[in-house]
Amino acid sequence: MGREGYRLRVGRYRVLFTINAHHEPVIVQIEEVKKRDERTY
């Protein structure tokens, strides 16, 4: 919890990203979500 930035679910993956000063997305991390539970969205 408490992560800065945004997250986007794309299929089985969660993409964590921020927006830089030029208003462009910068990918921070890509996680595979193996199953959905109370900690995933």
Side-chain angles (χ1 to χ4, degrees):
M1 299 299 210
R3 292 181 183 165
E4 291 186 24
Y6 303 92
R7 57 187 180 175
L8 176 66
R9 184 164 179 135
V10 181
R12 291 177 27 198
Y13 299 93
R14 180 182 300 135
V15 180
L16 305 169
F17 64 97
T18 60
I19 304 296
N20 68 14
H22 301 289
H23 304 288
E24 300 169 331
V26 177
I27 295 175
V28 175
Q29 183 176 358
I30 299 174
E31 301 175 346
E32 183 177 9
V33 179
K34 296 185 180 179
K35 69 175 193 169
R36 295 183 79 151
D37 60 22
E38 65 276 356
R39 294 175 299 179
T40 60
Y41 65 96

